[in-house]
Amino acid sequence: MGHIIDTLIALSVPSLVLLYLSLAPYTKIEESFTIQATHDILSYGIPFRDRDHYLAATYDHVKHPELHPVPRTFLAPLLFAIASSPFARFVKGVDTQILVRAILGLYNAFCILTFRNSIQKAFGSGTANWYIIFQVVQFHVIFYASRTLPNIIPFGLSTVALGYLLPTPSSTLTNSTSSKFQLHPSLVLLTILGIVFRSELALLLGVHTIYSFLRGQLSIPRVLISGTFGLAIGLLLTVPLDTYFWQTPLWPELSSFLFNIYSGKSSDWGTSPWHYYFTSSLPKLLFNPLLPLCVAFSLFTPALRSPSLTLLLPNLAYIALYSFVPHKEWRFILYTLPPLTAAGSLGANYIWTRRSKTPLYRLLSLILILSTISSLGASVLMALISSTNYPGAQALNTLHALADGTKPVLNVHIDVLTAQTGATKFLEIPAPRNGLEAIGRTVWRYDKSDVKSANGGQLLDPVFWEGFDYALAEKLERVIGAWDVLATVKGYGGVKVVKPGEEVDGGEMDVGEGWAREAVARRGGRFGAGPWDGWMRVGKRGWNGVGGWMRRVTGGWWVDVRMVPVIHVLRRVPMGEVRGEIAKEGV
C-alpha cells in the first residue's frame, strides 16, 4: 500500500505540469528566443552552405535582432528540436509548440522526482512524499516547468545537482584518499549549467562548494578537477555551436553577464530593494503559508536541526548575495526552491508521523492537510487566470479562422504586443514548400516591423500600410489608413469586485460589425480556437458556476477577473470600398 501511495504522489508532478500546459499552451516574450529558435531548427534545418544568407532569410534571431538584445545559447533549442522531431514529422496533427513544451515539462518533472529520490535516500520516504506534496502545490515551479524561460531550462539539472549534495547512508562524503581526485557530479553539473545556460549558477556553485569544503566534505583537488572538467565541457558545448548560429565568436553567457551585471544594463528593467527576495519573492514562491512555519519547526527540533541547516544555509546565502544585484526577478532564485521546500518537508513529516500521539500533533496534521488542499486550489485558480494573459496568440488564431481562404495571398502586420503575448512562429500558417502544396491554399506572409527594427521608420509611412491586408495591433492610432475592426481580443486586466446586480465579464473577445459578423456566422460562431482551448472554456464555465452559487450566498457579491481590450484584429478597407462610403455620405 505504501508503494502505491508513493507512486500516486510522485505522479502528481507530471500530471499537474501537463494540466497547466493544457490550460496555458501559449508563451510570452521572456520565452521567445528558445521557442522561436526551436521552431526555426525544426522548420528550416541547420544550413551547411551559404550560412549567413540562409539564416538571414529564415531564422528569427537574425531577421529580428531587436527582439534578442542579449544572445542566448542554441544548445537548448537544438536539443528540443532533436527530441521533438520524430513526433513532429511522423505523428499527424501534433501541435509542435505544445509538444516542445511538454518535453521540457516532463524533463523538469523527471528531475524533480530524481531530487525526491535523493531526499528519500537521505531522510526517508515520508519526508520525500511531503516534499512532493509541497512542491506540486507551489504555483511557480509547476506552472513554469514547461515554459522555455532561460532559467527554467537549467532548473531541472540544477535540482538534480543539489540532490547529489544530500547525505546518503552509503556515503559519508568525507575526504578519503580514494575520493580526493574523483569528479564530483554536483560540481560538474553546476559548472556546465553556469557556463552554458545561466551565469548566476556560478554563484550557487560557489556557495555550495565553500559550504561543503568547510564541513570537510570536499577537498581542494576534487574541487579543482571537477570545476576544470565542467568548464571544459561547458565551453565545448556552447562556444562552437553559438559561434556558428550567431555568426560571430561568442560565449553567450559571458556576453550576458557583461551586459547585465558588469555594465549594469539589467537595471534598465527596474530595480528592487535588497530585501525583496526575502520579503516578497520567497513567500510567493513557497506559496503554502505553513511551509515557512515547517522550516522553522525543523530548525527548533534538535533531531532535524543539522539536516535543515544543510538544506538552508548555502541556499539562503546564495539569495542574500544575489540580492546585491539591483534588478530582481523571482526566477533568479528559483533554483533554491527545491532544497528550501525539502527543509520544510522535514518538519511536516515529523508532525505527520506523530499525529496519533498527542491532540496537538493531530491538530497540526489536520491544518497541514487543509493548507495543502487550499494551496492546490489557489494554484489551479492562478493557472486559470494566467490563461487569459495571451491575447496575441488568441488574436492570431482568430485572424486565421476569419481570413484563411479568402485570398490567394494575405499579408499581415504583427505589432510588438501581439508578438510578446503568444504570437509565435509555431502559430503561423507555414508557407507551402512547393507549387503543388500552394494549389487552393492561402499563402500567409507575416511582418513584425517595429520602431526599433532596421525598417522601423516605415511604420510612419502610409504606403507601408497599404502593403498589408490585415494587422494585429494594440493601438489603433498607430495603424495608418482605413481599417475595419473585425474583433478585439481581451486580456487579463486585474481582479475586480462584482457588486449585486452587476454582470460578470462577458468573454474574451468582442466581434466587430459587418464583414466580421458575417464571417463569424459562416463559421458557426466558433473562431480563434487554439489547441486545447476547450480546457480554458471548461475552467471559465466552472468558475462562473462557482461564482453563481457564491453570489446567492453572499447576496450578489463576488470576485472575477477583469478582462480589458488588448489586441485589435484589423482588416484594411480596399480603396474601392472607401470611395463607395465617401460617395454614400456625399449623397
Side-chain angles (χ1 to χ4, degrees):
M1 185 65 180
H3 290 298
I4 296 176
I5 293 175
D6 293 350
T7 302
L8 290 175
I9 292 175
L11 287 175
S12 65
V13 180
S15 299
L16 277 174
V17 167
L18 294 179
L19 172 63
Y20 290 165
L21 167 58
S22 70
L23 290 175
Y26 306 117
T27 61
K28 296 290 284 291
I29 181 62
E30 296 88 351
E31 309 157 60
S32 174
F33 169 74
T34 300
I35 202 71
Q36 304 285 45
T38 303
H39 168 277
D40 293 341
I41 294 173
L42 278 171
S43 300
Y44 310 123
I46 301 174
F48 294 101
R49 294 180 180 178
D50 197 14
R51 176 197 63 175
D52 295 355
H53 179 266
Y54 190 85
L55 292 177
T58 55
Y59 272 60
D60 192 76
H61 74 290
V62 182
K63 294 177 69 176
H64 302 286
E66 70 279 0
L67 299 177
H68 312 287
V70 179
R72 294 295 179 193
T73 182
F74 266 84
L75 181 60
L78 178 62
L79 294 176
F80 291 144
I82 292 171
S84 60
S85 179
F87 302 96
R89 296 185 187 281
F90 301 112
V91 180
K92 188 176 180 180
V94 67
D95 185 283
T96 313
Q97 177 168 295
I98 290 179
L99 172 64
V100 169
R101 287 192 50 196
I103 290 171
L104 173 59
L106 292 176
Y107 144 78
N108 276 318
F110 174 79
C111 291
I112 289 172
L113 294 177
T114 302
F115 185 74
R116 179 248 179 233
N117 292 338
S118 298
I119 294 175
Q120 182 178 11
K121 292 176 183 178
F123 310 122
S125 60
T127 301
N129 285 338
W130 273 107
Y131 162 72
I132 292 296
I133 291 171
F134 282 142
Q135 193 74 87
V136 296
V137 303
Q138 292 170 357
F139 170 74
H140 290 82
V141 168
I142 304 301
F143 181 80
Y144 283 92
S146 68
R147 313 196 76 84
T148 55
L149 284 168
N151 313 77
I152 292 297
I153 293 167
F155 168 78
L157 283 179
S158 71
T159 302
V160 172
L162 295 180
Y164 284 129
L165 293 171
L166 298 178
T168 59
S170 60
S171 175
T172 60
L173 294 176
T174 56
N175 281 324
S176 61
T177 304
S178 61
S179 68
K180 278 186 178 182
F181 299 96
Q182 292 178 355
L183 292 173
H184 194 291
S186 178
L187 303 191
V188 172
L189 268 179
L190 288 175
T191 302
I192 294 173
L193 295 174
I195 293 294
V196 177
F197 295 109
R198 294 297 301 185
S199 58
E200 67 262 19
L201 285 169
L203 179 60
L204 185 67
L205 168 67
V207 293
H208 276 280
T209 300
I210 293 171
Y211 183 78
S212 297
F213 177 77
L214 292 176
R215 298 188 68 206
Q217 297 173 338
L218 286 175
S219 65
I220 292 179
R222 195 175 190 188
V223 170
L224 294 176
I225 292 173
S226 300
T228 303
F229 182 78
L231 174 66
I233 295 297
L235 291 175
L236 286 173
L237 287 173
T238 183
V239 172
L241 180 69
D242 293 307
T243 295
Y244 181 84
F245 277 105
W246 289 98
Q247 303 165 280
T248 186
L250 183 68
W251 174 6
E253 275 312 296
L254 177 60
S255 298
S256 175
F257 175 81
L258 294 175
F259 181 85
N260 287 316
I261 307 300
Y262 182 77
S263 299
K265 294 295 184 181
S266 63
S267 297
D268 295 345
W269 298 97
T271 61
S272 302
W274 182 89
H275 57 79
Y276 175 81
Y277 285 136
F278 292 100
T279 57
S280 181
S281 294
L282 271 181
K284 293 176 183 176
L285 291 171
L286 295 173
F287 207 70
N288 189 326
L290 285 189
L291 184 53
L293 298 179
C294 289
V295 172
F297 184 89
S298 300
L299 289 173
F300 286 101
T301 302
L304 305 178
R305 186 174 298 125
S306 178
S308 297
L309 289 174
T310 298
L311 291 165
L312 292 171
L313 285 180
N315 295 292
L316 292 178
Y318 165 80
I319 297 173
L321 291 172
Y322 206 74
S323 294
F324 287 102
V325 178
H327 176 64
K328 297 177 177 62
E329 296 183 40
W330 61 265
R331 56 193 178 98
F332 298 152
I333 63 169
L334 188 68
Y335 321 106
T336 65
L337 207 55
L340 296 181
T341 302
S345 68
L346 286 168
N349 183 62
Y350 189 91
I351 293 169
W352 180 253
T353 54
R354 287 159 177 77
R355 64 189 183 280
S356 60
K357 294 186 176 182
T358 67
L360 177 60
Y361 282 124
R362 194 174 300 118
L363 175 62
L364 292 175
S365 297
L366 177 61
I367 295 173
L368 274 175
I369 293 173
L370 294 176
S371 70
T372 299
I373 294 173
S374 61
S375 296
L376 178 60
S379 184
V380 174
L381 178 59
M382 289 180 66
L384 286 169
I385 293 174
S386 297
S387 70
T388 67
N389 217 8
Y390 303 90
Q394 298 285 0
L396 187 56
N397 286 334
T398 298
L399 176 60
H400 288 155
L402 285 172
D404 193 33
T406 58
K407 287 179 64 176
V409 178
L410 290 174
N411 294 289
V412 182
H413 174 73
I414 296 174
D415 79 345
V416 174
L417 186 63
T418 304
Q420 290 179 342
T421 55
T424 66
K425 295 175 76 173
F426 275 115
L427 270 62
E428 296 177 0
I429 296 177
R433 290 171 292 184
N434 52 58
L436 289 176
E437 284 191 0
I439 297 175
R441 281 186 52 185
T442 295
V443 177
W444 288 80
R445 297 171 180 165
Y446 304 90
D447 174 79
K448 296 180 183 177
S449 297
D450 176 29
V451 291
K452 295 180 181 179
S453 60
N455 62 342
Q458 297 183 39
L459 271 69
L460 302 177
D461 185 356
V463 177
F464 171 79
W465 293 99
E466 291 177 6
F468 298 105
D469 302 287
Y470 296 94
L472 304 176
E474 174 193 11
K475 297 181 179 180
L476 294 173
E477 63 272 17
R478 293 187 177 179
V479 183
I480 301 173
W483 297 79
D484 278 337
V485 179
L486 305 183
T488 299
V489 179
K490 297 179 180 179
Y492 177 72
V495 177
K496 66 177 180 180
V497 176
V498 182
K499 300 177 182 178
E502 184 180 352
E503 294 295 325
V504 297
D505 194 276
E508 296 181 352
M509 195 172 318
D510 292 330
V511 182
E513 300 293 336
W515 183 89
R517 288 198 181 276
E518 293 174 8
V520 174
R522 288 198 304 270
R523 289 162 172 78
R526 294 292 295 277
F527 64 99
W532 299 359
D533 278 5
W535 283 91
M536 290 181 256
R537 289 192 292 271
V538 170
K540 180 69 175 178
R541 286 197 296 268
W543 178 252
N544 288 339
V546 172
W549 180 81
M550 286 298 297
R551 292 186 78 174
R552 290 193 292 271
V553 174
T554 62
W557 293 89
W558 183 233
V559 292
D560 195 24
V561 175
R562 178 186 292 110
M563 302 294 289
V564 297
V566 181
I567 305 292
H568 303 286
V569 181
L570 306 174
R571 168 181 171 262
R572 187 173 62 83
V573 180
M575 186 56 65
E577 292 184 24
V578 174
R579 289 169 180 164
E581 291 296 325
I582 294 174
K584 288 180 183 179
E585 292 179 5
V587 174

